[in-house]
């Protein structure tokens, strides 16, 4: 009796061993990393144009620490806000034929740990006056990669919320095609001898921006100075720069150029200074570059 039972048990074991083993699905063995983002960017009205953010939720399922990057193509030229909180980007942005910028950056926070979930935001700003009606613009594009593998690649629409809080019945947003900067300054400056023997004078400059054509900032180039006169500069940011970044429609800014000369400079009229102001990363030439130019004559005098 015992021999028969052992024989039957051995036969059962052999039968089980012969049965096919079900394959484990690859997705269950190693699920891929994922990233998700809203399909619409909503720009909210503020005291200075419109602002909005895309929030990206990233889940990393790699077995070893990994690095993630995102590639963003802005929906509106000049709307991607350059990050100021430590993100490494691999260029200042490639400008597409329609004026939009495409830029690749590291996902903030450093390396991803296996199983980590991380959220980050991508910010946008449009420096145009807010309206009592909703508006819509073209689509942007976002791709996220982890160690070179794409985890999301999608487009998103853009909507401006009205000042009354509505997103319904949007009108197309139409931005100015050409920038229009206008700069004014006095036509003469007097440099007065200082207690240390040097000469110094100040030139008040007013900049006004007309329209909402995109640009990043304003800077200036000194094209001519009299012999012995040093290149004009500003106390706020030094040589060649204008503080404050991009301009709003109708915005005016004032700056003071400091003009100086060494102690051995002759007293009297020395000649003109020519300065041209420029728009950085503008999508088109200025409407009238001539009104971005200032010229003033420099004269030195002894202290009264």
């Amino acid at each position: 009796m015992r021999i028969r039972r052992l024989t039957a048990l051995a036969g059962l074991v052999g039968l089980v061993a012969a049965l096919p083993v079900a394959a484990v699905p690859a997705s269950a063995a190693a699920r891929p990393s994922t990233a998700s983002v809203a399909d619409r960017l909503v720009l909210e009205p503020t005291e200075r144009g419109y602002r909005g953010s895309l929030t990206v939720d990233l889940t990393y399922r790699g077995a070893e620490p990994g690095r993630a990057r995102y590639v963003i193509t802005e929906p509106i030229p000049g709307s991607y806000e350059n990050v100021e909180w430590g993100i490494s980007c691999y260029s200042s942005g490639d400008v597409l034929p329609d004026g939009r910028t495409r830029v690749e950056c590291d996902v903030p926070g450093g390396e991803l740990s296996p199983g980590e979930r991380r959220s980050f935001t991508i910010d946008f700003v449009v420096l145009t006056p807010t309206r009592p009606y909703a508006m819509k613009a073209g689509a942007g594009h976002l791709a996220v990669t982890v160690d070179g593998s794409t985890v999301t690649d999608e487009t998103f629409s853009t909507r401006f919320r009205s000042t009354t809080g509505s997103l319904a019945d949007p009108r197309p947003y139409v931005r100015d095609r050409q920038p229009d900067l206008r700069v004014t300054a006095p036509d003469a400056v007097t440099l007065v001898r200082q207690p240390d023997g040097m000469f110094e004078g100040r030139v008040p400059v007013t900049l006004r921006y007309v329209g909402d054509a995109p640009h990043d900032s304003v800077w200036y180039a000194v094209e001519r100075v009299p012999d012995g006169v040093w290149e004009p500069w500003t106390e706020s940011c030094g040589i060649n720069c204008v503080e404050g970044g991009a301009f709003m429609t109708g915005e005016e800014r004032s700056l003071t150029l400091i003009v100086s000369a060494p102690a051995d400079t002759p007293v009297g009229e020395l000649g003109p200074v020519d300065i041209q102001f420029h728009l950085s990363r503008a999508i088109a030439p200025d409407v009238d570059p001539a009104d971005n130019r200032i010229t003033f004559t420099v004269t030195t005098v002894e202290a009264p």
Side-chain angles (χ1 to χ4, degrees):
M1 180 67 69
R2 186 176 178 182
I3 295 176
R4 290 181 180 177
R5 287 180 179 175
L6 290 175
T7 303
L9 181 58
L12 180 60
V13 171
L15 178 61
V16 172
L19 291 175
V21 178
V24 178
S27 58
R31 291 181 297 167
S33 301
T34 60
S36 62
V37 64
D39 60 1
R40 177 187 288 178
L41 167 66
V42 176
L43 297 167
E44 305 285 350
T46 71
E47 293 182 356
R48 184 176 168 79
Y50 292 84
R51 288 184 175 273
S53 299
L54 283 177
T55 298
V56 184
D57 296 311
L58 174 62
T59 299
Y60 177 58
R61 296 194 175 99
E64 300 292 336
R67 289 193 173 274
R69 295 181 181 179
Y70 69 82
V71 179
I72 186 75
T73 302
E74 60 186 1
I76 303 164
S79 60
Y80 173 73
E81 190 168 37
N82 290 336
V83 289
E84 299 176 352
W85 29 280
I87 290 180
S88 297
C89 295
Y90 297 93
S91 73
S92 59
D94 300 321
V95 180
L96 305 180
D98 61 5
R100 295 182 301 150
T101 295
R102 175 187 178 276
V103 65
E104 180 177 2
C105 301
D106 282 335
V107 167
E111 280 191 329
L112 293 156
S113 301
E116 180 179 351
R117 294 181 178 180
R118 184 180 299 177
S119 295
F120 63 95
T121 59
I122 303 173
D123 301 320
F124 301 86
V125 59
V126 180
L127 296 179
T128 193
T130 57
R131 274 85 160 183
Y133 51 84
M135 295 185 292
K136 60 183 178 180
H141 187 268
L142 173 71
V144 178
T145 63
V146 178
D147 292 336
S149 297
T150 301
V151 295
T152 189
D153 189 346
E154 53 195 295
T155 59
F156 57 90
S157 63
T158 306
R159 191 72 59 91
F160 296 73
R161 192 184 301 278
S162 73
T163 52
T164 61
S166 175
L167 290 172
D169 302 320
R171 306 180 190 180
Y173 170 56
V174 180
R175 203 166 197 176
D176 292 319
R177 293 181 177 274
Q178 278 188 278
D180 189 1
L181 177 68
R182 302 173 188 180
V183 186
T184 56
D187 58 8
V189 60
T190 299
L191 310 188
V192 179
R193 189 181 294 276
Q194 305 299 303
D196 62 1
M198 294 193 303
F199 293 92
E200 184 178 287
R202 295 173 178 249
V203 181
V205 180
T206 300
L207 300 92
R208 184 171 186 270
Y209 195 67
V210 180
D212 64 354
H215 62 287
D216 276 355
S217 59
V218 177
W219 60 283
Y220 66 87
V222 179
E223 297 183 344
R224 176 174 60 166
V225 293
D227 291 340
V229 175
W230 290 318
E231 187 170 335
W233 55 283
T234 68
E235 287 182 328
S236 57
C237 63
I239 296 176
N240 301 128
C241 61
V242 176
E243 277 192 315
F247 280 68
M248 275 282 296
T249 302
E251 180 179 356
E252 284 192 357
R253 271 181 225 166
S254 297
L255 61 85
T256 300
L257 292 173
I258 300 172
V259 186
S260 53
D264 59 356
T265 302
V267 173
E269 184 174 314
L270 302 180
V273 172
D274 293 331
I275 299 177
Q276 182 74 35
F277 286 78
H278 301 273
L279 291 157
S280 174
R281 294 180 68 88
I283 62 170
D286 192 273
V287 170
D288 182 8
D291 63 14
N292 298 355
R293 185 182 184 88
I294 59 173
T295 298
F296 52 86
T297 301
V298 177
T299 302
T300 54
V301 298
E302 297 290 351

